[in-house]
């Protein structure tokens, strides 16, 4: 949180945000299942101005072998931002932030994936952010879930993700980059709607107990909207096109 809220109007007198949205309105979301010919499963997501591809490989042999587990499969996630994905060129080397986001996405996906069915193997998830505009971890997590389902990996549920936050002392749904930089709080939430379980919850900023509760509820509502679009993306690939596209 930049704490620079006074510099810009994040919420006007009519309750309209800096990008024209109402407080409970998500950005435009488009999800497509498939697309990568060489992956076992893949997905593409546009979440506002975020554009992200996820590719899933496996279950497959683990290299190096000592990393394998005789009792269960392992999940590996790499989140990577292209140098051109942000306005100020990002160094292509993995940053601390990318390592952290890879870890939280892995931990958010793990409860959904039935890894115990594939001992000694690995499921690899590669995430490429080609354009970033705030909320990439949520968009990436949502795309990765669809890619895992597209790969036919048995899952307990899909993880849908969306952030809630606070600007101008008001709880908002789906925080964009400007709101993330200059607002008061950003709370990414990952949620399995069928199982009613949260698998990702982070908070940057300060909230009262009441605001915290409202943010969690708002984030979950966003996840439910994303979940419908995840299911629609899979239905479009498998039921409307006969599974012909990649
Ligand atoms: N960002 C950037 N350069 C970087 C890293 C991030 O411009 O090296 C921007 C990008 O738009 C990103 C936003 O800052 O979406 C917020 O980043 P954060 O670490 O909060 O993660 P995110 O909200 O993307 O999950």
């Amino acid at each position: 949180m930049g704490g620079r809220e006074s510099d810009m109007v994040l919420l006007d007198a009519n309750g309209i945000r800096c990008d024209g949205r109402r407080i409970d309105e998500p950005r435009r979301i488009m999800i497509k299942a498939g697309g990568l010919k060489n992956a076992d499963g893949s997905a593409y997501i546009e979440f506002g101005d975020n554009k992200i591809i996820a590719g899933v490989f496996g279950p497959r042999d683990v290299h190096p072998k000592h990393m394998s587990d005789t009792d269960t499969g392992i999940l590996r996630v790499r989140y990577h931002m292209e140098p051109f994905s942000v306005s100020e060129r990002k160094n292509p080397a993995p940053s601390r932030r990318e390592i952290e986001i890879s870890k939280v996405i892995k931990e958010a996906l793990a409860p959904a994936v039935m890894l115990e069915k594939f001992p000694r193997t690995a499921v690899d998830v590669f995430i490429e952010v080609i354009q970033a505009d705030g909320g990439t971890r949520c968009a990436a997590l949502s795309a990765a879930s669809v890619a895992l389902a597209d790969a036919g990996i048995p899952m307990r549920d899909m993880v849908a993700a969306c952030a809630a936050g606070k600007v101008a002392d008001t709880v908002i749904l789906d925080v964009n980059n400007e709101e993330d930089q200059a607002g008061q709080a950003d709370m990414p939430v990952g949620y399995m709607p069928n199982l009613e379980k949260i698998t990702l919850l982070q908070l940057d900023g300060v909230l009262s107990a009441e605001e915290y509760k409202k943010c969690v509820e708002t984030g979950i509502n966003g996840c439910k909207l994303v979940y419908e679009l995840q299911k629609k993306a899979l239905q479009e690939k498998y039921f409307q096109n006969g599974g012909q596209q990649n």
Side-chain angles (χ1 to χ4, degrees):
M1 299 302 98
R4 291 180 283 104
E5 180 137 23
S6 51
D7 297 346
M8 56 177 17
V9 178
L10 289 181
L11 196 64
D12 74 12
N14 299 317
I16 299 299
R17 292 153 69 178
C18 58
D19 58 6
R21 285 183 288 151
R22 296 183 309 273
I23 56 171
D24 59 351
E25 189 179 341
R27 288 174 282 186
R28 188 190 69 89
I29 304 165
M30 189 279 282
I31 307 176
K32 184 175 174 286
L36 295 181
K37 187 166 134 184
N38 298 323
D40 294 310
S42 55
Y44 172 67
I45 190 166
E46 288 183 5
F47 207 116
D49 284 338
N50 293 301
K51 297 185 179 181
I52 300 170
I53 297 171
V56 167
F57 298 79
R60 62 183 179 181
D61 287 347
V62 183
H63 297 290
K65 265 210 154 51
H66 68 83
M67 282 181 69
S68 69
D69 188 328
T70 47
D71 295 329
T72 184
I74 57 169
L75 184 63
R76 297 186 291 201
V77 174
R78 190 190 74 156
Y79 163 103
H80 178 250
M81 257 169 79
E82 295 295 340
F84 56 79
S85 65
V86 281
S87 51
E88 201 168 306
R89 181 184 179 274
K90 189 211 147 273
N91 187 321
S95 61
R96 282 173 65 103
R97 176 180 167 275
E98 286 167 299
I99 294 165
E100 178 225 317
I101 295 181
S102 300
K103 180 176 185 286
V104 297
I105 292 178
K106 182 182 98 169
E107 289 171 0
L109 288 170
V113 186
M114 295 181 174
L115 289 166
E116 67 279 6
K117 290 192 183 289
F118 308 100
R120 296 191 182 85
T121 69
V123 173
D124 289 305
V125 181
F126 293 94
I127 292 162
E128 288 296 330
V129 178
I130 49 185
Q131 190 168 282
D133 190 41
T136 58
R137 78 194 64 203
C138 289
L141 175 54
S142 303
S145 276
V146 174
L148 283 163
D150 183 46
I153 312 272
M155 291 163 81
R156 296 178 178 85
D157 197 359
M158 270 193 300
V159 184
C162 189
K166 183 170 97 163
V167 298
D169 297 322
T170 308
V171 171
I172 53 161
L173 176 67
D174 184 20
V175 180
N176 70 24
N177 194 33
E178 261 179 313
E179 293 167 333
D180 182 19
Q181 300 299 319
Q184 295 162 310
D186 177 28
M187 178 191 277
V189 179
Y191 182 68
M192 297 191 285
N194 254 343
L195 299 178
E196 298 183 358
K197 283 208 158 66
I198 289 177
T199 68
L200 168 73
L201 188 86
Q202 294 184 288
L203 173 61
D204 184 9
V206 179
L207 297 172
S208 68
E210 202 177 307
E211 286 166 345
Y212 179 89
K213 198 164 164 268
K214 180 109 194 274
C215 258
V216 174
E217 278 166 12
T218 303
I220 288 177
N221 287 339
C223 293
K224 288 179 181 167
L225 296 174
V226 172
Y227 193 62
E228 292 308 311
L229 298 172
Q230 289 174 305
K231 287 192 292 186
K232 190 166 150 262
L234 289 162
Q235 279 160 1
E236 272 169 9
K237 177 170 173 186
Y238 287 99
F239 298 115
Q240 285 166 23
N241 298 333
Q244 288 308 301
Q245 62 188 125
N246 285 309

